[in-house]
Amino acid sequence: MYINDVIRQVKQYYPSEYDEAEMYIWCDEVSSMLAVEDRTVYKTVYISSDGSGHIPLPEGVRIENIYSVTADGKELEKLDFINGDLSSYSKVTVIYEEPYYPIRLPRYRGSASFASDDDGVYIRLGNNEFLTGDTINITTSQGAAFAESVPVLGKMPDPENSGLYLLVTDPEAVDGSGDPLPDCVITRSVTDETVCAAPYDSMYVDYILAKINLYQRDSDSYNRHMTAFNSRLAAYKKWLINHMPSRDRDCKFINVW
Protein backbone atom coordinates (compact mmCIF):
# COMPACT_ATOMS: atom_id res chain seq x y z
CA MET A 1 0.00 0.00 0.00
CA TYR A 2 1.21 3.50 -0.71
CA ILE A 3 1.79 5.68 2.35
CA ASN A 4 -0.61 8.29 0.97
CA ASP A 5 -3.30 5.61 0.75
CA VAL A 6 -2.74 4.87 4.44
CA ILE A 7 -3.23 8.53 5.32
CA ARG A 8 -6.26 8.78 3.07
CA GLN A 9 -7.88 5.87 4.92
CA VAL A 10 -7.09 7.42 8.30
CA LYS A 11 -8.70 10.70 7.29
CA GLN A 12 -11.79 8.88 6.06
CA TYR A 13 -12.11 6.79 9.22
CA TYR A 14 -11.31 9.52 11.73
CA PRO A 15 -10.95 13.16 10.66
CA SER A 16 -8.69 15.01 13.10
CA GLU A 17 -6.61 18.13 13.60
CA TYR A 18 -3.37 16.36 12.64
CA ASP A 19 -1.89 17.02 9.20
CA GLU A 20 -0.08 14.80 6.72
CA ALA A 21 3.40 15.85 7.89
CA GLU A 22 2.68 14.49 11.38
CA MET A 23 1.21 11.29 9.97
CA TYR A 24 4.31 10.76 7.81
CA ILE A 25 6.38 10.80 11.01
CA TRP A 26 4.14 8.12 12.53
CA CYS A 27 4.42 6.04 9.36
CA ASP A 28 8.20 6.34 9.66
CA GLU A 29 8.00 4.95 13.19
CA VAL A 30 6.30 1.79 11.92
CA SER A 31 8.48 1.44 8.82
CA SER A 32 11.75 1.93 10.69
CA MET A 33 10.76 -0.61 13.34
CA LEU A 34 9.90 -3.22 10.71
CA ALA A 35 12.94 -2.48 8.56
CA VAL A 36 15.45 -2.61 11.42
CA GLU A 37 13.99 -5.28 13.68
CA ASP A 38 12.03 -7.66 11.48
CA ARG A 39 12.56 -7.24 7.76
CA THR A 40 16.26 -6.74 7.15
CA VAL A 41 17.28 -6.13 3.54
CA TYR A 42 20.83 -7.06 2.56
CA LYS A 43 22.58 -5.29 -0.28
CA THR A 44 25.96 -5.74 -1.92
CA VAL A 45 28.28 -3.02 -3.18
CA TYR A 46 31.54 -3.54 -5.06
CA ILE A 47 34.11 -0.83 -4.36
CA SER A 48 37.46 -0.35 -6.07
CA SER A 49 40.25 1.02 -3.92
CA ASP A 50 41.48 4.50 -4.81
CA GLY A 51 44.87 3.85 -3.26
CA SER A 52 44.20 5.97 -0.17
CA GLY A 53 43.60 2.99 2.08
CA HIS A 54 40.02 4.05 2.73
CA ILE A 55 36.87 2.48 1.34
CA PRO A 56 33.84 4.81 1.24
CA LEU A 57 30.61 3.21 2.40
CA PRO A 58 27.26 3.92 0.72
CA GLU A 59 25.46 6.97 2.05
CA GLY A 60 23.75 6.34 5.37
CA VAL A 61 25.53 3.01 5.99
CA ARG A 62 27.37 2.85 9.33
CA ILE A 63 29.78 0.31 10.69
CA GLU A 64 27.02 -1.53 12.58
CA ASN A 65 25.15 -2.05 9.29
CA ILE A 66 28.02 -4.01 7.74
CA TYR A 67 27.43 -7.76 7.50
CA SER A 68 30.68 -8.77 5.80
CA VAL A 69 33.62 -7.34 3.87
CA THR A 70 35.57 -9.40 1.36
CA ALA A 71 38.78 -8.03 -0.14
CA ASP A 72 40.24 -9.85 -3.17
CA GLY A 73 38.45 -13.04 -2.12
CA LYS A 74 39.49 -12.83 1.56
CA GLU A 75 36.81 -12.18 4.15
CA LEU A 76 37.95 -9.61 6.69
CA GLU A 77 37.09 -9.20 10.34
CA LYS A 78 35.58 -5.86 11.35
CA LEU A 79 38.74 -4.85 13.19
CA ASP A 80 40.74 -5.53 10.03
CA PHE A 81 38.90 -2.95 7.98
CA ILE A 82 38.31 -0.50 10.83
CA ASN A 83 41.98 -0.13 11.74
CA GLY A 84 43.72 -1.65 8.74
CA ASP A 85 44.98 -0.25 5.45
CA LEU A 86 42.89 -1.44 2.50
CA SER A 87 45.00 0.23 -0.20
CA SER A 88 46.65 -3.06 -1.14
CA TYR A 89 43.34 -4.56 -2.26
CA SER A 90 42.10 -3.93 -5.76
CA LYS A 91 38.45 -4.73 -5.13
CA VAL A 92 36.37 -4.82 -1.98
CA THR A 93 32.91 -6.38 -1.68
CA VAL A 94 30.69 -5.08 1.13
CA ILE A 95 27.45 -6.78 2.16
CA TYR A 96 25.42 -4.55 4.45
CA GLU A 97 22.04 -4.20 6.07
CA GLU A 98 20.22 -1.42 4.27
CA PRO A 99 19.38 1.33 6.77
CA TYR A 100 15.91 2.79 6.86
CA TYR A 101 15.54 6.08 5.02
CA PRO A 102 12.69 8.26 6.36
CA ILE A 103 10.06 9.75 4.07
CA ARG A 104 11.56 12.81 2.45
CA LEU A 105 9.55 16.03 2.35
CA PRO A 106 11.81 18.56 0.59
CA ARG A 107 10.27 21.94 -0.15
CA TYR A 108 11.62 24.73 -2.33
CA ARG A 109 10.37 28.28 -2.49
CA GLY A 110 11.93 30.78 -4.84
CA SER A 111 12.36 31.51 -8.50
CA ALA A 112 12.28 28.90 -11.26
CA SER A 113 13.01 29.22 -14.96
CA PHE A 114 12.76 26.75 -17.81
CA ALA A 115 14.86 25.82 -20.83
CA SER A 116 14.97 22.91 -23.24
CA ASP A 117 17.18 21.16 -25.76
CA ASP A 118 17.22 17.81 -27.54
CA ASP A 119 17.87 15.98 -24.24
CA GLY A 120 14.87 17.31 -22.34
CA VAL A 121 13.56 20.19 -20.30
CA TYR A 122 15.64 21.86 -17.58
CA ILE A 123 14.17 23.53 -14.50
CA ARG A 124 16.64 26.04 -13.09
CA LEU A 125 16.39 26.44 -9.30
CA GLY A 126 18.40 27.66 -6.38
CA ASN A 127 19.78 25.25 -3.78
CA ASN A 128 17.30 22.40 -3.21
CA GLU A 129 17.05 18.88 -1.81
CA PHE A 130 15.32 17.14 -4.70
CA LEU A 131 16.93 13.94 -6.01
CA THR A 132 16.88 11.99 -9.23
CA GLY A 133 13.82 9.75 -9.17
CA ASP A 134 11.64 12.22 -7.28
CA THR A 135 8.28 13.38 -8.58
CA ILE A 136 7.56 17.05 -7.91
CA ASN A 137 4.62 19.43 -7.98
CA ILE A 138 5.02 23.09 -8.88
CA THR A 139 2.58 25.77 -7.72
CA THR A 140 2.62 29.53 -8.05
CA SER A 141 3.06 31.79 -5.04
CA GLN A 142 -0.73 32.23 -5.03
CA GLY A 143 -1.22 28.48 -4.68
CA ALA A 144 -2.37 27.79 -8.24
CA ALA A 145 -1.16 24.53 -9.79
CA PHE A 146 1.49 25.10 -12.45
CA ALA A 147 2.68 21.54 -13.13
CA GLU A 148 1.90 18.30 -11.33
CA SER A 149 3.62 14.90 -11.19
CA VAL A 150 6.81 16.16 -12.83
CA PRO A 151 9.49 13.42 -12.87
CA VAL A 152 13.03 14.40 -11.93
CA LEU A 153 15.17 12.46 -14.41
CA GLY A 154 18.44 14.07 -13.37
CA LYS A 155 20.03 16.82 -11.32
CA MET A 156 23.21 18.77 -11.97
CA PRO A 157 24.87 22.09 -11.11
CA ASP A 158 24.05 24.81 -13.61
CA PRO A 159 27.25 25.23 -15.67
CA GLU A 160 26.34 28.82 -16.50
CA ASN A 161 25.22 30.04 -13.07
CA SER A 162 27.15 29.25 -9.91
CA GLY A 163 24.93 28.26 -7.01
CA LEU A 164 22.01 27.21 -9.21
CA TYR A 165 20.91 23.71 -10.18
CA LEU A 166 19.19 22.13 -13.14
CA LEU A 167 16.51 19.49 -12.75
CA VAL A 168 16.10 17.44 -15.92
CA THR A 169 12.55 16.36 -16.72
CA ASP A 170 10.28 15.09 -19.48
CA PRO A 171 9.20 17.61 -22.17
CA GLU A 172 5.63 16.35 -21.75
CA ALA A 173 5.64 17.30 -18.06
CA VAL A 174 6.74 20.94 -18.32
CA ASP A 175 6.83 23.45 -21.16
CA GLY A 176 10.51 24.28 -21.63
CA SER A 177 9.66 27.54 -23.37
CA GLY A 178 7.37 28.77 -20.61
CA ASP A 179 7.81 32.03 -18.76
CA PRO A 180 9.92 31.96 -15.58
CA LEU A 181 8.22 31.92 -12.20
CA PRO A 182 9.67 34.63 -9.97
CA ASP A 183 8.15 33.01 -6.88
CA CYS A 184 6.89 29.45 -6.75
CA VAL A 185 6.61 26.52 -4.36
CA ILE A 186 7.89 23.07 -5.32
CA THR A 187 7.26 19.96 -3.22
CA ARG A 188 7.99 16.28 -3.61
CA SER A 189 5.11 13.88 -4.20
CA VAL A 190 5.31 11.15 -1.57
CA THR A 191 5.45 7.88 -3.51
CA ASP A 192 6.80 5.72 -0.66
CA GLU A 193 5.10 2.43 0.15
CA THR A 194 4.56 0.54 3.38
CA VAL A 195 7.35 -1.85 4.35
CA CYS A 196 4.91 -4.77 4.58
CA ALA A 197 2.36 -5.81 1.98
CA ALA A 198 -1.31 -6.72 2.34
CA PRO A 199 -2.97 -7.87 4.50
CA TYR A 200 -0.47 -6.71 7.12
CA ASP A 201 -0.17 -3.11 5.86
CA SER A 202 -3.36 -2.20 7.74
CA MET A 203 -1.20 -2.00 10.88
CA TYR A 204 -0.13 1.46 9.68
CA VAL A 205 -3.73 2.67 9.84
CA ASP A 206 -4.21 1.30 13.34
CA TYR A 207 -0.94 2.82 14.52
CA ILE A 208 -1.79 6.32 13.26
CA LEU A 209 -5.28 6.12 14.74
CA ALA A 210 -3.73 5.06 18.05
CA LYS A 211 -1.30 8.00 17.98
CA ILE A 212 -4.15 10.42 17.31
CA ASN A 213 -6.15 8.98 20.21
CA LEU A 214 -3.08 9.10 22.44
CA TYR A 215 -2.60 12.83 21.90
CA GLN A 216 -6.32 13.42 22.23
CA ARG A 217 -6.18 11.58 25.59
CA ASP A 218 -8.76 9.05 24.50
CA SER A 219 -7.38 6.04 26.39
CA ASP A 220 -10.09 3.57 25.41
CA SER A 221 -9.73 4.21 21.68
CA TYR A 222 -5.94 4.24 21.99
CA ASN A 223 -5.91 0.82 23.66
CA ARG A 224 -8.32 -0.57 21.08
CA HIS A 225 -6.22 0.54 18.11
CA MET A 226 -2.93 -0.51 19.74
CA THR A 227 -4.39 -3.96 20.37
CA ALA A 228 -5.30 -4.21 16.69
CA PHE A 229 -1.84 -2.94 15.71
CA ASN A 230 -0.02 -5.43 17.94
CA SER A 231 -2.20 -8.27 16.69
CA ARG A 232 -1.42 -7.45 13.06
CA LEU A 233 2.27 -6.97 13.89
CA ALA A 234 2.44 -10.38 15.60
CA ALA A 235 0.76 -12.01 12.59
CA TYR A 236 3.26 -10.34 10.27
CA LYS A 237 6.23 -11.51 12.36
CA LYS A 238 4.85 -15.05 12.31
CA TRP A 239 4.48 -14.86 8.54
CA LEU A 240 8.08 -13.66 8.20
CA ILE A 241 9.40 -16.51 10.34
CA ASN A 242 7.64 -19.03 8.11
CA HIS A 243 8.90 -17.45 4.89
CA MET A 244 12.40 -16.20 5.70
CA PRO A 245 15.42 -18.33 4.73
CA SER A 246 16.48 -20.73 7.46
CA ARG A 247 19.77 -22.49 8.14
CA ASP A 248 17.77 -25.68 8.61
CA ARG A 249 16.89 -25.55 4.91
CA ASP A 250 20.58 -25.59 3.96
CA CYS A 251 20.32 -22.49 1.78
CA LYS A 252 21.24 -18.84 1.82
CA PHE A 253 19.58 -15.87 0.13
CA ILE A 254 20.78 -12.29 0.00
CA ASN A 255 18.48 -9.35 -0.79
CA VAL A 256 15.50 -11.62 -1.36
CA TRP A 257 12.99 -9.04 -0.18
Side-chain angles (χ1 to χ4, degrees), residues 192-204:
D192 305 63
E193 298 183 51
T194 58
V195 171
C196 56
Y200 309 104
D201 50 5
S202 62
M203 74 171 74
Y204 282 77

Side-chain angles (χ1 to χ4, degrees), residues 69-123:
V69 174
T70 304
D72 293 343
K74 176 186 176 182
E75 185 167 350
L76 305 180
E77 298 291 337
K78 281 198 174 183
L79 286 178
D80 293 336
F81 58 80
I82 292 175
N83 302 319
D85 183 356
L86 301 179
S87 59
S88 60
Y89 298 108
S90 60
K91 190 174 184 180
V92 176
T93 302
V94 179
I95 299 177
Y96 63 92
E97 299 176 0
E98 184 179 33
Y100 175 72
Y101 301 102
I103 298 169
R104 295 173 41 254
L105 300 172
R107 186 176 187 272
Y108 171 85
R109 177 157 193 168
S111 62
S113 58
F114 310 92
S116 62
D117 60 19
D118 294 338
D119 296 325
V121 170
Y122 301 89
I123 306 174

Side-chain angles (χ1 to χ4, degrees), residues 66-210:
I66 295 177
Y67 178 76
S68 69
V69 174
T70 304
D72 293 343
K74 176 186 176 182
E75 185 167 350
L76 305 180
E77 298 291 337
K78 281 198 174 183
L79 286 178
D80 293 336
F81 58 80
I82 292 175
N83 302 319
D85 183 356
L86 301 179
S87 59
S88 60
Y89 298 108
S90 60
K91 190 174 184 180
V92 176
T93 302
V94 179
I95 299 177
Y96 63 92
E97 299 176 0
E98 184 179 33
Y100 175 72
Y101 301 102
I103 298 169
R104 295 173 41 254
L105 300 172
R107 186 176 187 272
Y108 171 85
R109 177 157 193 168
S111 62
S113 58
F114 310 92
S116 62
D117 60 19
D118 294 338
D119 296 325
V121 170
Y122 301 89
I123 306 174
R124 179 178 288 108
L125 304 175
N127 188 35
N128 62 86
E129 299 178 350
F130 300 113
L131 301 175
T132 300
D134 284 347
T135 300
I136 59 176
N137 299 312
I138 306 174
T139 60
T140 66
S141 57
Q142 292 77 29
F146 177 82
E148 297 181 339
S149 301
V150 178
V152 178
L153 306 179
K155 180 180 180 179
M156 66 189 75
D158 186 350
E160 300 178 358
N161 299 277
S162 177
L164 298 182
Y165 294 84
L166 298 176
L167 302 184
V168 185
T169 188
D170 192 322
E172 297 184 359
V174 176
D175 181 5
S177 60
D179 294 332
L181 297 174
D183 188 17
C184 68
V185 177
I186 304 178
T187 56
R188 171 183 178 259
S189 294
V190 175
T191 56
D192 305 63
E193 298 183 51
T194 58
V195 171
C196 56
Y200 309 104
D201 50 5
S202 62
M203 74 171 74
Y204 282 77
V205 176
D206 284 310
Y207 188 81
I208 294 177
L209 291 173

Side-chain angles (χ1 to χ4, degrees), residues 22-41:
E22 292 166 305
M23 294 185 190
Y24 287 139
I25 294 174
W26 298 332
C27 287
D28 276 332
E29 292 178 7
V30 178
S31 294
S32 59
M33 177 191 64
L34 295 178
V36 173
E37 297 180 4
D38 302 300
R39 190 179 179 275
T40 304
V41 174

